[in-house]
Amino acid sequence: MRYLFGLLSIVFLVGLGCHGRQTKSDDSRDKFAVSDTMMNMIAIDTVKLSSVENELKLTGKVSFDEEHVVRVYPMVSGLASDVRVSLGDYVKKGQELAVIISSEGAGIQNDLLNATSNLGITKKNLEASESMYKSGISSEKDFLTAQADFRKAESELDRIKKIITINGNNSTADYSIKAPESGYIVERFINPHMQIRPDNGNNLFTISDLRHVWIIANVYETDIAKVHLNDEVEVRTIAYQDVALKGKIDKIATVLDPDNKTMKIRIILGNENVLLKPEMFANVIVRYKIKGEMTEIPSQALVFDKSKNFVMLFNDRNDVQTREVQVYSVVGNKTFITSGLAPGDKVISRCQLLIYNALNES
């Protein structure tokens, strides 16, 4: 970069020499002219009136998209004999996640056998009772009792089958926990040989597809009025500082967090390449509009020197002036000016530092 700057300076000074600036004098600024070489290098932009924008910098974190998250809970108690997935693994719907040795599972299996056997017995009794009733050997009461016993046995078997379905079609002592949906294992709270108690209400796994994530950011009370639904935002993370992710505010909380007295806002971002991981720290820039219009210039046209902001005002190649300006806000490539310029003025927005240095040599 030093070499490039030096080369540009030489080209610029040579250009000045071609226009008669061989020696310094008190009226050297009046004789300043932009050479043909520099005219091909600089860029000139016209000052315009624009709706005023500003930006608000917030901090937040990456979170799960709660609308696409499944938490897996144990349906039985027992001992974890095998855990077959790790944190971060991608699993498919129906894939086995862990196995629990459970006495409850063995009990369900026994209940299923008993209910199946009882249904068979009551069915035979019903058939025999119906035959005897039709032959006049038994009473109608005996036949109706046999019908009731059969229906009761049928209902009991149906109840046990529903329990087995709820338990993921497990009907043995080895209770298999399977993934209800496809996605990534983003939380795991089970290890081999862990005792699973019936009074523990915590989930064992959390599965998220991570194709979309939430950015949850904090807004202090003083800034609440500055954020609105659908405001454009830019999100950057520490892991990918050069990657600017674009989004909009999707939801604004109606209450403040009682711990830190901030309001939460939510941004939904696509995450097809799974760059964003839950709990990542995020910097969020919210861009919002303010009523009224103000003069706007490209941010790269500014020259900051001696704690002040300047621009190079271009009237023609023989009339370039240094103009101090008052900056209201810098929003990306847009800078809004409160004084120093008028709509229609022209400013140099590339290589302006070389011209500034030449005009302001002591």
Side-chain angles (χ1 to χ4, degrees), residues 102-140:
S102 171
S103 59
E104 294 175 30
I108 292 174
Q109 183 182 28
N110 186 57
D111 291 342
L112 177 63
L113 292 173
N114 289 337
T116 303
S117 176
N118 189 43
L119 181 64
I121 293 171
T122 56
K123 183 178 181 181
K124 288 182 179 180
N125 289 341
L126 176 61
E127 292 171 349
S129 179
E130 183 180 11
S131 177
M132 293 173 67
Y133 171 66
K134 289 179 178 180
S135 300
I137 299 175
S138 63
S139 65
E140 183 181 4

Side-chain angles (χ1 to χ4, degrees), residues 84-91 95 183-186 188 207-208:
R84 299 185 176 178
V85 293
S86 301
L87 196 65
D89 286 353
Y90 181 81
V91 297
Q95 181 176 333
Y184 291 89
I185 302 294
V186 293
R188 194 189 92 166
I207 300 173
S208 174

Side-chain angles (χ1 to χ4, degrees), residues 255-286:
V255 295
L256 268 63
D257 188 311
D259 295 325
N260 53 27
K261 303 300 181 184
T262 59
M263 182 182 71
K264 304 289 186 183
I265 62 171
R266 182 182 76 184
I267 301 109
I268 299 178
L269 292 180
N271 192 36
E272 292 292 341
N273 50 11
V274 198
L275 288 178
L276 300 177
K277 312 293 192 297
E279 300 303 319
M280 273 186 171
F281 182 82
N283 289 309
V284 178
I285 297 177
V286 180

Side-chain angles (χ1 to χ4, degrees), residues 46 51 73 81 86-87 90 111 117 140 153 176 194-195 207 218 228 257 267 290 311 326 328 337 341 344-345 354-355:
T46 302
S51 298
Y73 292 86
S81 64
S86 301
L87 196 65
Y90 181 81
D111 291 342
S117 176
E140 183 181 4
S176 177
M194 178 185 289
Q195 187 71 39
I207 300 173
N218 301 309
H228 312 86
D257 188 311
I267 301 109
I290 301 172
V311 296
Q326 300 299 319
Y328 174 77
I337 304 297
L341 292 172
D345 287 344
L354 291 174
I355 297 177

Side-chain angles (χ1 to χ4, degrees), residues 192-220:
H193 312 299
M194 178 185 289
Q195 187 71 39
I196 308 300
R197 305 193 317 270
D199 61 337
N200 187 354
N202 295 329
N203 61 305
L204 301 181
F205 300 96
T206 301
I207 300 173
S208 174
D209 63 10
L210 293 181
R211 288 179 297 178
H212 294 87
V213 292
W214 289 357
I215 306 297
I216 306 297
N218 301 309
V219 182
Y220 289 103

